[in-house]
Amino acid sequence: MTTSTLRFRLGRLLVAGCLMLAGSLPLAAADNPTPAQQQAERQQTQPGNNAPMWREVRSGDSFFTTNRGPEAGVLIQSEGDTWRHLRNGPVTFYGGILLMLVAAAILIFYKIKGPLTLHDAPTGRLIQRFPRYERVVHWLTAGSFVILAVTGLAMLFGKHVMIPVIGHSLFGYLMVLGKNVHNFIGPLFAASLLAMIVIWARDNVWQSIDALWIRKAGGLITGEHVPSGRFNFGEKTWFWIGVTILGLTVSISGFVMNFPNFDQTRNDMQIANIVHSVSAIVMLLLAFGHIYMGTIGAHGAFDSMKTGYVDETWAKEHHEQWYNDVKAGKSGHPQG
Amino acid sequence: MARMKFLCDTERCIECNGCVTACKNENETPWGVNRRRVVTVNDGVPGERSVSVACMHCSDAPCMAVCPTDCFYKTEEGVVLHNKDACIGCGYCFFACPFGAPQFPNGPAAFGARGKMDKCTFCAGGPEENGSKAEFEKYGRNRLAEGKLPLCAEMCSTKALLAGDAPVISDIYRERVMRRGKAGEAWGWNTAYGKPEQAAPAAKEAAK
Amino acid sequence: MLYHIFKNGWEDKAYIDARVFGLDKVKAEVMTWTPERVQDVTGIPEAEVLRIAEMLAKNKPSTVVWCMGQTQHTVGNANVRAMCILQLVLGNVGVSGGGTNIFRGHDNVQGATDVGPNPDSLPAYYGLAAGSWKHWCKVWGVDYEWVKSQFASQAMMEKSGITVSRWIDGVLEKNEAIDQDSNLRAVVYWGMAPNSQTRGLEMVEAMKKLDLLVVIDPYPSATAAMAAMMRKDGVYLLPACTQFETSGSRTASNRSIQWGEKVIEPLFESKPDHTLMYAFAKKFGFEKELCKNIKVNKDKQGWDEPEIEDILREINRGAWTIGYTGQSPERLKLHMKNMHTFDVKTLRANGGPCDGDYFGLPWPCYGTPELKHPGTPNLYDTSKHVMDGGGNFRANFGVERDGVSLLAADGSASKGAALQMGYPEFDHVLLKKLGWWDDLTEDEKKAAEGKNWKTDLSGGIQRVVLKVYGCHPFGNARARALVWNFPDPVPLHREPMYSPRPDLVDKYPQPDDKKVFWRLPTLYKSLQTKVRDISKEYPLIMTSGRLVEYEGGGDETRSNPWLAELQQEMFCEVNPRDANNAGFRNNDFMWVETPTKGRMKVRAQVTERVAPGTVFLPFHFAGWWQGKDMLEYYPEGAAPIVRGESVNQGTTYGYDSVTMMQETKTTLCRVTKA
Amino acid sequence: MKKALFLVLTVTVGLVACGEYSQVPNYKQGNYQGKSDVRPWEGEKFAGNKQAWENALRARNQGQTEYNRIK
C-alpha cells in the first residue's frame, strides 16, 4: 500500500466519521421513543415480536419487581462476564507468574550478592531508631498484612494450588475461616496503615540527599554505603508507593467489597475486586523486597524493628544524616 | 437422561409470583431469600412482559468458574449445584451470575458476612443423602429424586414456566409458538447456554 | 358496545325473540348512547369499543368475567345487569363457554351466600315472608309460633335487616331516623375484615359507641386493633380455626361443592365456627330447638361440636330453590375420592362410581340425593336434558307483564322436555291440571298437597317434573332485560357520588334520597349535589382493589411470611404525571387525602399502570392509622408481619340503590409528598 | 539447607497448579462431572432403578403441555 492510498483511506474514514457524527447528532437530539414506547408500538404492528423488550433486557437496566433483593430488578447483568474473564484470566495468570518470578529474583539476588553487612565493627553503643508506638504500629500493620496476604492468595490461587493437594472439603473448611479472618483483619490493617502513614510521613519527605542515593542505586549493586536521612530513598519509595498509595487503594477497594450494605452495585464490587487484586499483588511484590531487606537482606535491620535500637555503626553506615541529627539532638526522637 | 433447563414463556407469564411462593413453600427458604423472582419489563405500558427468573443452570456457569473454593458441581442432568459446607459466602458467584441467582440469607451484611450462598437447585437438593433431613435443611426439597420436576414450574398457573428435559420443553414451547403463529425467544437461553448456533438442535429450533 | 352490536345487527335475534323479555326498552336507551356520548362519559374512544364489540360478536361463545370492579358502585346493580344484557343480546347465556362469570374473593364465599348471611333472606334465597319462615321451620322441625316468639314483632321478623356495609350507621344514626326500635348496640365480626368496609373514620367512632364488640377470627384482625385504639373494654376475641382445622363442604364460584377434610387438629384454643355457633345457641337457650336434626358430639376439650355432615343434610332437606338438595355428604365425599374419573374438560365423570355426575354437583342439583341429578355445569342450558344438567330461564315473576307474555317462546324448552313451550313454575295445582299428579307416590302426594316445587319437602314434585317429564321445576320463562321492580328498570348511567366532573353530575344525577332503605335513611342526590364541586379540592380519582398476594382484609395473608415478603408495604399507584405535579418520586412516602378527612401515609409507586388523574390503592392493608403504626394495639405477638394504611379509612359515602353495596371503586382524593 | 527447602517448596507449590483441572466442565450428555453426590435415582424412592426414574420424569415433562389434556 502506498502512502497516498493510505492517506486517501484515512481521509475517507475521517469524512465518514464526521458524517456519521453529524447524522447522529440531530437524531440524538430528536424525540426518540423510549424502549417502552417502542415495545408498545411494536405490539400494534407486529404482535408477539418483543425485540424492543429483549433489547431492554440486555441493557442491564432495572425493571419492576416486588423482590427486595439487591439489584433484583436487573434481569441480565453482563459485566459479571467481563469481571470473570479478567479475574480468572490475566489477574490470576500474570499475577501468579509475577509473584513467582519476583520471589525467584530475590532469591537469586540473595544467592549472588548475599546480605548487606556492616563494614565496621559494631560499637556496642545503641541508639533508638523506633520508639515503642512506632514498632507497635509497624507490627500491627505487618502482621495483619501477612495474614491478609496469605488468606487473599488462598482466595485467588487456593483452588489451583491447594485443592489438588488437600481436597475440596478441607480447603472449604479452612477457607470459611480464611475468608472471615480476611474480612475482619482487613479493617484492622487499614486502621494501622493510616496510623503508620501519619507517624512516618514527615520522615519520608524528599530530601536533597536522596538524589545521591538514586545516583548510586542505593549501593545495592556495589555494596557501598550511601548516606541518607532517617529513611533512605528505597524505604521512601516503599512508603509512598507501597504503603501509602497501594495500601490505601487496597483498603478502600476492600471496604467496597467488605461492606456491601451501602447499595453499591455488583459492578462496583467487580471493579473493586479487580483493583483490589491487582494492587494487592503489586503491593505484595514490593513487600517481598521490603521483607527481604528487613530480614535477611540487610544485617541489623530486623533488630531495629524488633528492639527499636540500632548500633551506632549501623546507623552511621546506613543513615548517616539521621545519625548526625540524632547525635546533634535534632532528630526529635528520644534517646535511650 | 437429557439436559435439565428452565424456560419462561414471556407471552404467558402473568406476574402472579406463584412460582416465587411455591419455591418458598417447598424449600422453606427464609425471609429475604428468593431463589426465584419475577421481573416485569415496561411495567404498566402496553406490551409489558414479565419474566420469572432463577438459576438457569448454565452450561458454562460463571458462578462455578469464579468460586474460590470450587464448591459448585454439575450433575449428570446438567443441574448446577453447590456444596454449602465449602461455601465461604464471598459473594463472587453473585458478582458473576448474569441472572442474579445467588442469594444470601444475611443479605448485604457488614464485613461481608452474607452467610452461605443459597440458590435454586432445580429442586435437586445437594450433596447430602437424597431426601434426608440434612439435605432439606440446607438445600430444600429434592423433588428430582422423587421423580418430580421443580415445583415453581409444576405450580405455574399458565404454564409459562416450563422445566425439564431441554428437548421436551423446547418441543412444548415450539408447539405453542406454532399455534400462536408468532415468534418468541426462550428467555435467557442465549446467555445461559450459548448462542443458538452453539446450542443443542432442539434449542436452536426453539430460538428460531 | 350494545350500540355497535345493535347498529351492525350482530345480536342473536332468534335467541332474543324466544328467551328475552323487554329488550326493546333497553335498545331505545342504548341507541341514545352515541359513541361521542360514551367517550365523553367514559373516556374510551369509539374505535376501542367497536373493536371489543366486534370481537365479542364474531367470536361466540364468550364469557364475561368480573369481580368487585362492577359491583361496588352506586350503580353496581345496573352494571351487572348491563353485562347480563350484553350476553343475552349475543345469545351467550345458557351455552357452554358463555355466560357471566363473577369471581368470588375467597374460599366458600358462594357457599356462605347460599346459606343466608344476607339480611333479606333465609337460607337458599327464600326471602323473609311468613311462608318462607314456615318452610324453614318445617325443615328445622320447630314450631313457627315459637320462632315468632323469639322476635320483637312479626314486622321485625319479616323486615330486611341492616347490611354489613351500613352497620356503622345503625350505630351512629339518630334513633328516630332508623326503621327499628333501638340502634345497634352489639356487633359480631365473624371472619370479616373492617378494612374492607368503607368509611373507616366513622367506623372507629361507631366502635367507640358500641356496648359490645366480638371478633371471631383466626387472627385478632384489624377489628381488634381498631377497637383497641378507641376503647379499653367491651371487646371480646374468640379464636376461630381455619378451614384446614375442620372438615365440611365448600362452594366455589361455579356453584360446585367440594368436601374438605380436616388436615390438622385446631391449634391453640381455636374452635371451628359451628362449635362456636352452638355454644352461642346454648347460651341463648335455643340449641335444643334449632339442632333437632343435628347430632352433637363432644370434642377433645369437651365442647359440643355439631356434626358437620348433619348440617349439610339439613341444608339438603330445605334448599329446594337453588337445588342445594342433591349434594349429600356421601355423594360429595365420593366425588373427592374419585376425582380422577372426571373429565377435565367437561367436568363430568366418565364411568366409575360417580358416572354421569358433574364434579362437585354444581347447584342446581335438584331432588333428593337418591334422584341422582348430576348437577348443572352451566345454568339455563337448553341443549341438554334437565337430568343431564340442562335448564332454561326461571319463571319467578308471573306469566305476563303489561300484556306481554313472560314465558319463553315455543320450542325453546330444554332438550327432551314434555312441554316444548314456556311454562310457569310447578305446584300441586299445575301438576293436577297436567294430569301428572298420579306420578307421585302416595307418601309424596301427602307431602306435596298444597305445596309447590320449592316447599315440597318430599321432593316428589321435583322428581316427577324432572325425571318423568324432563321439565324444569321452576318453569320456563324469559330472561328479564327490563327489571321493572328495580329503581332503574333499564340500567342507567349515574355519576358516582364523588365525581370529578360536575357537568356530568348535572347530566346524570343520582336518584332522590331514600328515607328507609334496609332500615336506614340513605343519601343519594342531596349528598351528590353537596359535593358537586369537590373535585376542585380533590382532583384525583381514587380506586381500590386487590393484590394477588393477599386476600380480603389480609390479616391472615399478611401474617404469612411467604406472601408478606412479596408485598411489604402499603403503596399507591400514581401516574408519573401526577407524581411530578405533586413533587414526589417512586418509593417516596406520600399522603393520600380524601374528602372524609381520611389521611393515608403510603409508599408511592410511580407507574404507567394507572392513567393520569387516577390513583390505585390495594385494600388488604391495615395496621397503620393516619401515618402511625398500630402495633401497640394488637395483642402481643398477634400483629401481622406487614402492616400498612387501610385505604378504606378514607373511602367515602355511597351505596348501591338495590343491594346497598358500598361504593369503594370510585371516589376522589389528593396526593402530597410526605 | 533452609534455602534448599524453601526452593523445593516454592517449585512444588508452583508446579502443583499444573494439576488443576478445568473448572468449567464441557458438558457432555450422561457424563458425570460432579463431586460426590447421590444421583437422583439412587434415593429411597427409585432405589437405583434409573429407567423408572426417567419414566417418572418423562411423564412429568409431558404434564406441562396442556395441549395433551384438551385434545
Side-chain angles (χ1 to χ4, degrees):
Chain A
M1 197 195 292
T2 64
T3 6
S4 63
T5 54
L6 184 71
R7 204 173 291 152
F8 173 70
R9 285 194 173 194
L10 272 174
R12 209 167 55 171
L13 253 169
L14 205 70
V15 171
C18 286
L19 276 177
M20 268 163 62
L21 210 71
S24 66
L25 276 175
L27 246 177
D31 195 16
N32 260 343
T34 63
Q37 284 165 339
Q38 286 177 30
Q39 167 76 359
E41 282 160 22
R42 186 68 61 90
Q43 291 304 300
Q44 293 294 317
T45 52
Q46 288 171 273
N49 181 343
N50 294 321
M53 188 274 271
W54 294 121
R55 270 201 297 279
E56 276 186 271
V57 166
R58 241 18 210 102
S59 72
D61 289 344
S62 190
F63 307 105
F64 177 82
T65 176
T66 54
N67 186 302
R68 301 260 176 140
E71 292 178 83
V74 179
L75 273 169
I76 295 185
Q77 64 112 6
S78 304
E79 299 82 16
D81 199 47
T82 316
W83 171 72
R84 165 197 168 176
H85 283 110
L86 275 175
R87 179 187 177 273
N88 282 9
V91 173
T92 312
F93 182 73
Y94 293 111
I97 289 197
L98 264 178
L99 283 171
M100 282 193 285
L101 280 183
V102 169
I106 289 173
L107 221 71
I108 291 164
F109 178 84
Y110 179 75
K111 264 262 171 272
I112 296 169
K113 296 294 294 183
L116 289 177
T117 47
L118 289 181
H119 295 211
D120 298 331
T123 57
R125 285 191 304 276
L126 296 179
I127 55 173
Q128 190 182 39
R129 181 162 166 76
F130 297 112
R132 190 181 181 84
Y133 72 95
E134 285 190 355
R135 277 177 290 139
V136 169
V137 168
H138 176 269
W139 286 118
L140 263 180
T141 317
S144 55
F145 178 80
V146 170
I147 294 169
L148 291 171
V150 170
T151 51
L153 285 174
M155 250 179 270
L156 190 56
F157 303 104
K159 72 170 164 183
H160 307 283
V161 178
M162 282 163 80
I163 286 178
V165 184
I166 62 174
H168 280 99
S169 308
L170 181 57
F171 181 67
Y173 289 122
L174 286 176
M175 280 310 291
V176 172
L177 190 72
K179 175 247 175 193
N180 280 310
V181 164
H182 195 90
N183 282 1
F184 283 88
I185 296 291
L188 176 71
F189 169 74
S192 47
L193 183 85
L194 277 177
M196 182 184 259
I197 291 170
V198 169
I199 57 175
W200 281 339
R202 203 183 53 131
D203 289 328
N204 276 292
V205 179
W206 170 269
Q207 291 161 306
S208 51
I209 201 159
D210 292 332
L212 183 72
W213 196 94
I214 298 171
R215 217 167 38 245
K216 300 199 167 171
L220 273 175
I221 314 294
T222 58
E224 85 182 277
H225 286 297
V226 186
S228 63
R230 186 171 180 220
F231 298 115
N232 66 35
F233 188 75
E235 287 168 307
K236 283 179 184 179
T237 311
W238 163 239
F239 179 80
W240 288 116
I241 295 179
V243 175
T244 310
I245 297 177
L246 289 172
L248 287 178
T249 313
V250 169
S251 302
I252 292 166
S253 57
F255 278 125
V256 172
M257 289 185 287
N258 205 7
F259 294 89
N261 36 343
F262 291 98
D263 284 340
Q264 58 266 54
T265 62
R266 281 171 283 184
N267 193 214
D268 297 336
M269 291 189 271
Q270 287 153 6
I271 293 167
N273 178 271
I274 296 296
V275 170
H276 192 76
S277 326
V278 171
S279 47
I281 288 172
V282 176
M283 194 176 173
L284 194 55
L285 295 178
L286 294 181
F288 279 172
H290 175 72
I291 293 168
Y292 168 75
M293 288 306 291
T295 52
I296 52 172
H299 284 172
F302 188 74
D303 285 339
S304 76
M305 197 44 94
K306 193 173 146 195
T307 62
Y309 291 90
V310 290
D311 194 273
E312 275 187 6
T313 313
W314 189 92
K316 200 162 180 281
E317 285 184 10
H318 287 282
H319 301 275
E320 199 173 353
Q321 206 176 40
W322 172 71
Y323 173 75
N324 295 336
D325 283 348
V326 172
K327 283 281 142 197
K330 288 194 297 184
S331 78
H333 289 285
Q335 300 296 305
Chain B
M1 185 50 60
R3 176 79 163 79
M4 292 296 178
K5 289 181 184 179
F6 280 122
L7 193 156
C8 182
D9 185 347
T10 52
E11 296 292 308
R12 284 192 178 206
C13 178
I14 57 169
E15 197 203 349
C16 69
N17 278 307
C19 45
V20 180
T21 317
C23 175
K24 291 212 80 139
N25 189 351
E26 187 75 348
N27 297 309
E28 294 186 14
T29 55
W31 184 281
V33 173
N34 287 290
R35 293 179 176 183
R36 184 166 276 288
R37 70 188 193 278
V38 179
V39 178
T40 306
V41 186
N42 302 330
D43 175 55
V45 181
E48 71 166 26
R49 289 289 178 277
S50 298
V51 176
S52 171
V53 51
C55 173
M56 294 290 281
H57 302 277
C58 299
S59 300
D60 172 9
C63 52
M64 261 171 132
V66 298
C67 179
T69 61
D70 204 7
C71 76
F72 290 89
Y73 62 99
K74 206 178 185 90
T75 72
E76 216 163 310
E77 297 78 41
V79 178
V80 176
L81 296 179
H82 69 298
N83 178 355
K84 279 197 184 179
D85 293 340
C87 172
I88 60 171
C90 62
Y92 286 0
C93 45
F94 177 62
F95 301 173
C97 177
F99 306 107
Q103 305 283 306
F104 294 92
N106 304 342
F111 292 103
R114 301 172 171 86
K116 305 271 184 195
M117 190 273 273
D118 188 279
K119 76 169 189 70
C120 159
T121 62
F122 207 86
C123 283
E128 273 81 358
E129 191 62 42
N130 286 342
S132 63
K133 193 160 169 273
E135 187 189 45
F136 178 74
E137 277 166 4
K138 278 189 201 160
Y139 308 97
R141 193 84 56 198
N142 191 342
R143 290 173 60 86
L144 223 51
E146 294 168 17
K148 297 172 185 164
L149 292 169
L151 190 67
C152 51
E154 295 207 310
M155 287 271 273
C156 179
S157 58
T158 60
K159 290 278 166 269
L161 185 62
L162 301 170
D165 284 355
V168 181
I169 58 168
S170 44
D171 272 352
I172 295 172
Y173 183 66
R174 187 171 51 226
E175 190 185 355
R176 280 183 195 175
V177 169
M178 273 172 2
R179 282 189 187 231
R180 54 182 183 233
K182 284 153 199 165
E185 190 179 334
W187 192 80
W189 276 35
N190 285 358
T191 306
Y193 314 122
K195 294 278 175 286
E197 58 268 19
Q198 303 153 0
K204 209 190 285 181
E205 297 227 43
K208 258 177 201 163
Chain C
M1 289 199 296
L2 281 171
Y3 174 89
H4 291 292
I5 289 169
F6 286 131
K7 204 171 135 200
N8 290 297
W10 286 331
E11 71 268 32
D12 187 338
K13 292 188 187 73
Y15 183 93
I16 294 168
D17 286 346
R19 300 185 65 187
V20 183
F21 168 80
L23 197 65
D24 40 342
K25 292 232 174 71
V26 174
K27 188 172 172 181
E29 168 69 17
V30 162
M31 295 319 277
T32 67
W33 283 88
T34 57
E36 299 75 45
R37 207 175 150 201
V38 170
Q39 180 157 7
D40 182 38
V41 172
T42 66
I44 303 171
E46 180 185 3
E48 193 75 357
V49 181
L50 178 65
R51 189 172 68 85
I52 297 167
E54 188 172 3
M55 197 190 288
L56 285 175
K58 296 192 170 165
N59 295 283
K60 286 201 264 189
S62 60
T63 184
V64 185
V65 176
W66 70 82
C67 307
M68 296 305 188
Q70 299 239 15
T71 57
Q72 294 186 335
H73 294 273
T74 51
V75 288
N77 72 88
N79 288 340
V80 169
R81 280 186 294 140
M83 280 296 148
C84 298
I85 291 169
L86 172 71
Q87 288 294 65
L88 286 170
V89 166
L90 292 169
N92 275 340
V93 181
V95 294
S96 179
T100 54
N101 222 324
I102 306 93
F103 283 172
R104 297 305 209 160
H106 19 107
D107 178 38
N108 204 26
V109 173
Q110 183 65 48
T113 316
D114 293 342
V115 295
N118 294 358
D120 64 338
S121 181
L122 284 164
Y125 316 100
Y126 273 83
L128 290 171
S132 313
W133 278 107
K134 282 178 185 151
H135 167 70
W136 279 103
C137 287
K138 212 167 163 200
V139 176
W140 297 328
V142 297
D143 182 26
Y144 171 70
E145 292 302 324
W146 177 82
V147 173
K148 208 163 96 182
S149 69
Q150 304 292 312
F151 285 86
S153 68
Q154 186 163 5
M156 281 297 275
M157 186 176 176
E158 291 171 16
K159 186 164 28 185
S160 296
I162 296 171
T163 62
V164 64
S165 54
R166 294 294 302 275
W167 75 264
I168 40 180
D169 291 317
V171 178
L172 296 176
E173 193 67 63
K174 283 192 291 291
N175 185 256
E176 55 272 23
I178 62 174
D179 185 22
Q180 63 183 37
D181 293 342
S182 76
N183 282 65
L184 283 185
R185 288 166 58 201
V187 164
V188 180
Y189 259 89
W190 203 321
M192 175 78 198
N195 52 326
S196 64
Q197 291 178 277
T198 52
R199 297 164 60 202
L201 283 175
E202 286 162 83
M203 186 182 295
V204 288
E205 289 308 316
M207 283 181 173
K208 203 164 152 187
K209 230 178 142 184
L210 283 174
D211 291 353
L212 171 74
L213 177 65
V214 182
V215 183
I216 306 178
D217 212 289
Y219 284 83
S221 85
T223 327
M226 280 163 74
M229 193 166 68
M230 302 310 290
R231 58 193 295 167
K232 293 270 162 280
D233 58 349
V235 182
Y236 294 86
L237 306 181
L238 302 185
C241 61
T242 62
Q243 73 261 42
F244 306 111
E245 297 157 72
T246 180
S247 62
S249 65
R250 282 125 208 194
T251 312
S253 290
N254 71 335
R255 312 172 315 283
S256 72
I257 302 166
Q258 294 172 59
W259 191 266
E261 299 290 344
K262 187 197 275 185
V263 182
I264 50 168
E265 285 299 318
L267 291 171
F268 311 113
E269 307 163 290
S270 67
K271 292 286 166 209
D273 291 335
H274 52 283
T275 304
L276 293 171
M277 226 177 267
Y278 188 84
F280 273 120
K282 210 163 151 186
K283 196 83 190 162
F284 298 142
F286 51 67
E287 89 281 8
K288 295 258 156 39
E289 293 289 339
L290 280 173
C291 295
K292 282 188 179 157
N293 305 316
I294 294 161
K295 202 175 139 202
V296 180
N297 308 315
K298 290 264 179 217
D299 75 3
K300 280 184 185 140
Q301 284 80 34
W303 286 57
D304 293 317
E305 182 176 5
E307 187 150 306
I308 207 100
E309 283 84 353
D310 278 350
I311 298 172
L312 180 57
R313 284 191 195 103
E314 187 170 86
I315 295 170
N316 291 155
R317 257 196 315 282
W320 300 94
T321 41
I322 54 170
Y324 206 148
T325 49
Q327 299 97 332
S328 65
E330 291 72 28
R331 283 183 88 185
L332 293 177
K333 285 178 184 170
L334 197 66
H335 277 213
M336 302 311 283
K337 212 175 280 169
N338 295 286
M339 231 183 246
H340 61 282
T341 62
F342 290 85
D343 185 285
V344 291
K345 201 178 171 193
T346 64
L347 298 181
R348 208 165 190 190
N350 184 17
C354 313
D355 191 23
D357 284 358
Y358 292 98
F359 182 68
L361 301 167
W363 61 254
C365 174
Y366 283 119
T368 55
E370 294 73 45
L371 184 67
K372 291 248 176 271
H373 190 280
T376 309
N378 295 299
L379 293 170
Y380 324 124
D381 186 355
T382 54
S383 70
K384 290 187 192 120
H385 190 278
V386 282
M387 283 304 289
D388 280 328
N392 45 44
F393 293 124
R394 180 174 175 185
N396 196 28
F397 304 94
V399 292
E400 65 151 41
R401 176 84 190 172
D402 303 330
V404 183
S405 172
L406 277 176
L407 296 182
D410 290 353
S412 66
S414 53
K415 190 175 160 192
L419 303 173
Q420 278 300 324
M421 58 179 94
Y423 49 87
E425 357 178 27
F426 286 91
D427 58 8
H428 66 116
V429 182
L430 184 61
L431 236 54
K432 284 172 189 158
K433 215 189 272 175
L434 287 167
W436 296 358
W437 186 252
D438 289 329
D439 289 305
L440 294 170
T441 64
E442 282 310 312
D443 289 347
E444 284 171 345
K445 271 185 195 166
K446 226 177 282 166
E449 189 58 49
K451 301 280 187 202
N452 61 23
W453 65 281
K454 51 191 179 186
T455 52
D456 165 23
L457 294 190
S458 72
I461 296 179
Q462 291 202 355
R463 179 182 67 81
V464 169
V465 170
L466 287 159
K467 191 140 192 196
V468 184
Y469 297 101
C471 286
H472 206 290
F474 65 36
N476 178 18
R478 290 167 188 271
R480 296 186 306 161
L482 183 76
V483 182
W484 59 81
N485 49 344
F486 274 18
D488 293 327
V490 172
L492 292 180
H493 172 67
R494 294 182 185 280
E495 273 295 295
M497 287 291 198
Y498 291 82
S499 166
R501 293 271 306 267
D503 59 319
L504 291 182
V505 170
D506 297 340
K507 257 195 237 173
Y508 309 104
Q510 289 287 337
D512 291 332
D513 294 357
K514 293 185 187 182
K515 224 168 147 138
V516 176
F517 183 41
W518 304 80
R519 300 191 188 181
L520 291 168
T522 306
L523 302 175
Y524 289 99
K525 202 169 186 172
S526 66
L527 177 62
Q528 195 186 31
T529 317
K530 203 174 125 198
V531 298
R532 178 179 175 271
D533 295 312
I534 202 155
S535 59
K536 283 196 196 110
E537 278 174 75
Y538 298 93
L540 299 178
I541 300 171
M542 182 178 107
T543 186
S544 60
R546 293 172 199 272
L547 297 173
V548 71
E549 287 83 5
Y550 296 144
E551 172 250 29
D555 282 300
E556 294 86 359
T557 39
R558 278 183 287 113
S559 302
N560 174 342
W562 296 329
L563 295 170
E565 196 189 340
L566 290 169
Q567 291 292 354
Q568 298 181 18
E569 268 175 314
M570 171 67 178
F571 60 88
C572 173
E573 291 179 1
V574 200
N575 190 274
R577 196 183 155 78
D578 298 322
N580 290 340
N581 287 341
F584 55 77
R585 296 182 186 202
N586 195 22
N587 271 333
D588 284 352
F589 267 117
M590 63 187 276
W591 284 103
V592 181
E593 290 166 305
T594 68
T596 61
K597 309 286 175 236
R599 296 175 79 237
M600 292 159 277
K601 190 184 180 186
V602 299
R603 208 50 103 168
Q605 192 175 109
V606 179
T607 169
E608 298 279 353
R609 290 180 199 174
V610 285
T614 307
V615 300
F616 169 88
L617 297 115
F619 76 82
H620 309 286
F621 291 85
W624 276 30
W625 195 261
Q626 308 211 326
K628 197 171 151 280
D629 194 340
M630 291 161 74
L631 182 62
E632 55 179 308
Y633 299 118
Y634 284 89
E636 205 188 317
I641 301 169
V642 169
R643 293 177 303 282
E645 205 80 63
S646 160
V647 63
N648 283 317
Q649 182 222 107
T651 41
T652 49
Y653 194 97
Y655 295 95
D656 182 88
S657 58
V658 175
T659 63
M660 194 67 107
M661 175 51 88
Q662 55 188 6
E663 185 168 65
T664 65
K665 295 300 173 196
T666 165
T667 184
L668 297 174
C669 72
R670 66 172 168 232
V671 297
T672 47
K673 185 170 165 38
Chain D
M1 186 57 217
K2 246 190 191 163
K3 286 175 223 160
L5 191 72
F6 187 68
L7 207 73
V8 167
L9 262 175
T10 317
V11 170
T12 333
V13 166
L15 284 180
V16 141
C18 303
E20 169 69 5
Y21 53 82
S22 166
Q23 298 162 60
V24 184
N26 188 11
Y27 180 75
K28 286 188 213 87
Q29 195 170 317
N31 185 10
Y32 190 66
Q33 295 121 22
K35 301 175 188 158
S36 61
D37 186 9
V38 246
R39 289 141 193 229
W41 56 88
E42 284 165 353
E44 217 171 286
K45 185 153 181 206
F46 294 96
N49 187 347
K50 192 177 178 199
Q51 199 60 45
W53 178 77
E54 283 184 352
N55 290 340
L57 268 189
R58 204 166 289 133
R60 288 267 174 175
N61 272 324
Q62 286 305 330
Q64 296 186 94
T65 170
E66 71 279 6
Y67 299 126
N68 285 346
R69 309 209 312 172
I70 58 168
K71 247 172 224 162

